[in-house]
Amino acid sequence: MKLLNILKESIKYNVQFESADKQMIQKFVDFVKKELSIKEDIDVILQNDKNGIKTTAVYNYGGGEASTIKVYCKDRQMVDILRSIAHEMTHHMQYETGKLEKKPADVGGPIEDEANAKAGELIKK
């Protein structure tokens, strides 16, 4: 497993990516952090198994330690992986700003709607 640092973030690659893809992921995480004005640390774990993931990605609050984003990558296009990262980083921003006080519904509602919309916007940018 290779660990790459992005500002305070770290990305753990439990999957095989080309060097150019890793650079794109690094730049995207840095971009999203800046766009969302994220201040706290986030560990982004990209993996080919669903260990700890029910759908395509999950955000876990840090509770004093770095928060964690896990993204399932097997057989997914890069744009979908990046969208998942942006979606979960939006949840991190929601947590930092006090909007996310409890685990949101898996589908729908204002918290999920904002994360979906913001992820699409960040991908377009």
Side-chain angles (χ1 to χ4, degrees), residues 6-9 28-42 89:
I6 298 176
L7 298 175
K8 292 182 180 180
E9 277 59 57
F28 185 73
V29 169
D30 186 31
F31 166 75
V32 171
K33 180 178 180 175
K34 184 177 176 184
E35 286 287 311
L36 297 178
S37 300
I38 290 174
K39 295 167 188 62
E40 297 176 7
D41 295 351
I42 311 168
M89 287 182 75

Side-chain angles (χ1 to χ4, degrees), residues 41-71:
D41 295 351
I42 311 168
D43 289 333
V44 179
I45 303 169
L46 306 176
Q47 57 193 60
N48 274 339
D49 60 58
K50 288 224 172 186
N51 185 20
I53 303 172
K54 290 182 182 177
T55 57
T56 54
V58 66
Y59 169 69
N60 294 312
Y61 325 117
E65 297 179 15
S67 295
T68 304
I69 293 171
K70 290 184 177 182
V71 180

Side-chain angles (χ1 to χ4, degrees), residues 4 6 13 18-28:
L4 300 172
I6 298 176
Y13 294 94
E18 298 290 326
S19 179
D21 289 339
K22 286 182 179 180
Q23 288 178 338
M24 181 184 348
I25 293 166
Q26 287 178 321
K27 287 180 182 179
F28 185 73

